[in-house]
Amino acid sequence: MLEIGVGTGRNLDRYPADVHVVGIDLSPAMLSLARARAQELGRDVDLQLGDAQALSFASESFDTVVVTLALCAVPDDHQAIREIARVLRPDGCLVWLEHVRSPFAPVRLVQRLLDPLLVRLEADHLLRDPIDHIKQGPFVIERLERSRLGYIERGVARRQSVGLA
Ligand SMILES: C[S@@+](CC[C@H](N)C(=O)[O-])C[C@H]1O[C@@H](n2cnc3c(N)ncnc32)[C@H](O)[C@@H]1O
């Protein structure tokens, strides 16, 4: 499986021991923290420098792609999702958890106010929702959950064996 934007490797202890994990991140500093965490956990994880918008892997080479709190930081999240679709095998799963644009107007208003600052200071986008792009295919959404205020979303989408969007 592939984790995109693996960061400091906070998800590494969640993966079953018999799964081969590849993690990519744009930041060498994050990767070195993830390497230290993998070592602490005694996990052999293939951690590589890489850009979610232009993955260096062959098409249809992973059964599962995981992304948590990273699509909000990738400059072109739509391109990242196209790349995820490309590297997933037919019937493979995209599993994601992101902070997203809330469907509730008062929460969204606060997000709208904070977004320019957060984008400028942290390159963190508050008004995105990966589902906008995932829905365009080639995925079938199997599970979708939101937090009570609607700004945390998690889901599972299965890649269909049709042409890429
Ligand atoms: C908020 S952190 C989340 C890290 C981890 N996924 C987690 O849940 O703890 C966002 C991560 O996305 C990475 N990132 C940002 N843009 C990226 C890109 N274009 N390609 C790969 N990783 C990227 C950042 O370097 C950072 O490690």
Side-chain angles (χ1 to χ4, degrees):
M1 62 142 295
L2 171 65
E3 181 172 341
I4 306 263
V6 68
T8 60
R10 278 194 305 188
N11 295 327
L12 294 181
D13 64 349
R14 305 284 162 149
Y15 301 131
D18 58 344
V19 171
H20 176 63
V21 180
V22 180
I24 68 125
D25 202 284
L26 202 57
S27 157
M30 290 292 201
L31 284 173
S32 77
L33 292 169
R35 282 195 188 98
R37 193 182 297 251
Q39 202 169 7
E40 260 170 43
L41 293 168
R43 290 255 357 199
D44 184 16
V45 183
D46 181 0
L47 292 163
Q48 304 181 16
L49 199 61
D51 184 348
Q53 302 161 118
L55 295 172
S56 60
F57 307 107
S59 298
E60 303 189 358
S61 50
F62 291 97
D63 293 321
T64 307
V65 174
V66 173
V67 58
T68 67
L69 304 174
L71 289 170
C72 50
V74 173
D76 184 346
D77 59 331
H78 193 181
Q79 175 58 18
I81 289 167
R82 279 194 211 97
E83 278 293 86
I84 290 169
R86 182 182 67 74
V87 302
L88 268 176
R89 295 197 180 104
D91 283 331
C93 279
L94 164 61
V95 179
W96 78 94
L97 180 144
E98 290 288 332
H99 67 73
V100 299
R101 181 182 69 239
S102 173
F104 303 116
V107 181
R108 204 168 55 244
L109 176 65
V110 175
Q111 290 178 310
R112 264 190 212 295
L113 292 173
L114 292 177
D115 183 66
L117 190 66
L118 266 286
V119 170
R120 217 172 108 207
L121 296 181
E122 300 281 333
D124 188 12
H125 294 257
L126 302 185
L127 298 174
R128 288 180 173 176
D129 190 337
I131 203 76
D132 297 343
H133 308 306
I134 292 168
K135 270 198 300 203
Q136 291 179 32
F139 293 103
V140 175
I141 294 157
E142 295 201 330
R143 196 168 156 185
L144 191 59
E145 293 166 8
R146 274 179 188 273
S147 61
R148 204 160 50 89
L149 294 178
Y151 64 87
I152 303 290
E153 177 183 275
R154 64 181 179 185
V156 177
R158 193 169 291 279
R159 183 204 188 277
Q160 293 176 296
S161 47
V162 293
L164 301 183

